[in-house]
Amino acid sequence: MKGFRFTQYVPPNDPEKNTFENLLNIFLQLVTMTGGDVAEALSWLTNLDKRYNMTNPGYGIGDFIEDLKTKGYLTEENQKGEFQITSKAEQTIRKSALEEIFGKLKRGKSGQHRTTHSGQGEEKGTDRRPYTFGDNLDQIALTDSIRNAQVNHGFGGDYLLTEDDLEVVENEFRSQTSTVLMIDISHSMILYGEDRITPAKKVAMALAELIKTRYPKDTLDIIVFGNDAWQIEIKDLPYLQVGPYHTNTVAGLELAMDLLRKRKNPNKQIFMITDGKPTCLKVGIKYYKNAFGIDSKILNETLKLAAQCRKLKIPVTTFMIASDPYLKEFVKEFTKVNNGNAYYSSLKGLGDLIFEDYKRNRTKKF
């Protein structure tokens, strides 16, 4: 008798491999926190090892560094001869962020989002309707059509199936969407002893990896804004750092709108992660700044852009990682003008909120 006998799988005991994987996970977290500074990350790792004994006599931090180079995570092949992470390490960081933030989610089909629109789409839905001339034969619901024939014509010897008995299954459209993620890198993102930029980077990397793997037909552009706004590549996210900047929300929105105008997808949206109010505006070649309260001049320009986005059917979802009452009032007014969404999130819940909003927006046409 042929067959299979299943027993409990006991993985081989490989202390060095386990140590490397554990250290790699911590090292990649530290690289994200240090803005891609490998030397600082390794220094922190060495201090952590000294305090918590993460290595053993047979495998130390020096061995770990050599393995990082051998396995393609680190390189010294640059003009300064300094340690730098490789593209493999960058991708591993994004995958790690994806698992950390969205790991509880079930995987779906790659590159597709449901909409509420039915018709000659790409995947069979659940709706039924009578057959009309021109429908594809593979759309015919055979079981339902045969049942209709029996109800309409009985169970006589001559089985009769007419065009009026046929039902077809409605296909569902699959939408594509273009998203711009705006990340605030003003100085307040590291003030008051709270690191807000690292969670924001992790969410951006997780969202980028999610879109690249599950929704490859979608587009994601990432921009950062301080005194000015500029676009960054996904590979640049681990190196992102806060600067001595004010918050020029207007510049960020203007750049986001410019990027979305170039996208051909019908569905467009902006996600904005920030912890404060707009405090900066560029007038000609000069910067108009006021960090004390909400400046009416800066506010009016920001609200004008919110209205323009609404006119262009580009909703702005604001993720405010601060809870000051007067900041909530600004976000409330901004959201009302744009007809978008707003969330007041802790850093811990930021990733779940962004994914849920991203997923929900795939089910409607803007």
Side-chain angles (χ1 to χ4, degrees):
M1 179 178 176
K2 293 183 179 180
F4 298 94
R5 177 175 295 177
F6 295 93
T7 60
Q8 183 179 4
Y9 172 72
V10 180
N13 186 14
D14 188 348
E16 288 193 4
K17 180 178 180 181
N18 293 337
T19 302
F20 173 79
E21 290 178 349
N22 292 335
L23 290 175
L24 177 63
N25 181 53
I26 298 171
F27 170 71
L28 295 178
Q29 296 275 357
L30 293 175
V31 167
T32 303
M33 295 176 65
T34 60
D37 190 329
V38 174
E40 186 178 358
L42 289 173
S43 177
W44 286 10
L45 184 64
T46 303
N47 290 331
L48 288 172
D49 177 46
K50 182 178 179 181
R51 182 171 182 178
Y52 297 105
N53 298 318
M54 298 183 296
T55 60
N56 55 67
Y59 190 87
I61 297 297
D63 299 309
F64 174 67
I65 295 173
E66 288 301 315
D67 279 350
L68 286 175
K69 293 190 290 184
T70 303
K71 296 177 185 295
Y73 293 98
L74 281 187
T75 180
E76 294 178 284
E77 296 179 3
N78 53 76
Q79 292 181 349
K80 296 182 180 180
E82 299 175 345
F83 280 135
Q84 292 181 346
I85 59 174
T86 63
S87 58
K88 178 180 179 179
E90 293 166 356
Q91 185 179 27
T92 304
I93 291 173
R94 293 197 301 270
K95 288 182 177 179
S96 176
L98 176 63
E99 182 64 26
E100 177 184 342
I101 295 172
F102 301 143
K104 295 177 292 184
L105 302 170
K106 294 181 179 179
R107 291 190 174 273
K109 293 189 176 180
S110 177
Q112 299 177 331
H113 307 291
R114 293 186 181 276
T115 72
T116 56
H117 305 283
S118 59
Q120 294 185 358
E122 300 176 1
E123 182 169 310
K124 291 186 181 300
T126 57
D127 295 335
R128 303 289 191 272
R129 63 171 174 80
Y131 173 85
T132 57
F133 180 77
D135 287 331
N136 295 327
L137 294 180
D138 60 357
Q139 287 183 259
I140 295 176
L142 292 177
T143 302
D144 297 311
S145 300
I146 292 173
R147 185 192 64 239
N148 293 338
Q150 292 174 344
V151 171
N152 295 334
H153 310 294
F155 295 90
D158 296 330
Y159 180 77
L160 184 62
L161 177 68
T162 67
E163 181 179 332
D164 294 333
D165 301 322
L166 297 178
E167 285 189 16
V168 297
V169 182
E170 284 278 38
N171 286 350
E172 293 180 348
F173 280 108
R174 292 292 184 170
S175 68
Q176 298 177 18
T177 190
S178 292
T179 303
V180 172
L181 178 62
M182 295 173 51
I183 303 175
D184 184 352
I185 58 168
S186 62
H187 187 56
S188 62
M189 292 288 278
I190 56 171
L191 281 181
Y192 315 116
E194 185 174 33
D195 177 11
R196 297 170 176 172
I197 190 63
T198 298
K201 287 195 294 184
K202 285 186 178 181
V203 168
M205 289 187 288
L207 185 61
E209 192 65 17
L210 181 76
I211 291 175
K212 286 168 67 69
T213 55
R214 190 187 292 189
Y215 308 120
K217 293 182 180 180
D218 287 6
T219 65
L220 175 66
D221 294 294
I222 302 173
I223 64 177
V224 295
F225 62 105
N227 291 349
D228 295 288
W230 59 95
Q231 185 177 10
I232 64 172
E233 300 294 331
I234 292 175
K235 64 181 179 63
D236 298 327
L237 280 169
Y239 311 100
L240 189 60
Q241 298 186 50
V242 168
Y245 307 126
H246 284 66
T247 307
N248 192 344
T249 308
V250 168
L253 291 172
E254 287 177 339
L255 179 56
M257 292 168 65
D258 287 341
L259 292 172
L260 289 175
R261 286 191 185 99
K262 300 174 183 177
R263 299 299 185 184
K264 304 302 180 183
N265 292 339
N267 298 331
K268 302 176 182 181
Q269 62 183 350
I270 297 173
F271 287 166
M272 178 168 63
I273 303 175
T274 182
D275 71 334
K277 61 188 181 299
T279 60
C280 179
L281 190 67
K282 195 168 186 179
V283 182
I285 60 174
K286 295 183 178 181
Y287 293 96
Y288 175 86
K289 303 175 183 178
N290 183 5
F292 302 97
I294 298 180
D295 187 287
S296 59
K297 181 175 181 179
I298 299 175
L299 176 64
N300 290 339
E301 291 300 317
T302 306
L303 295 180
K304 283 181 183 178
L305 284 180
Q308 287 183 29
C309 287
R310 180 175 182 175
K311 186 176 181 180
L312 295 171
K313 298 182 179 180
I314 301 175
V316 181
T317 303
T318 305
F319 298 91
M320 176 61 73
I321 48 179
S323 57
D324 306 65
Y326 77 101
L327 293 179
K328 288 186 176 182
E329 286 300 317
F330 156 69
V331 174
K332 183 177 179 181
E333 187 173 2
F334 178 88
T335 303
K336 182 179 179 181
V337 172
N338 174 255
N339 196 29
N341 297 303
Y343 299 96
Y344 306 95
S345 169
S346 66
L347 294 172
K348 185 177 180 180
L350 183 61
D352 290 337
L353 281 176
I354 285 185
F355 174 78
E356 289 301 327
D357 199 75
Y358 180 81
K359 184 172 67 173
R360 181 169 55 252
N361 284 344
R362 306 287 56 71
T363 65
K364 63 185 179 182
K365 187 177 180 66
F366 296 129

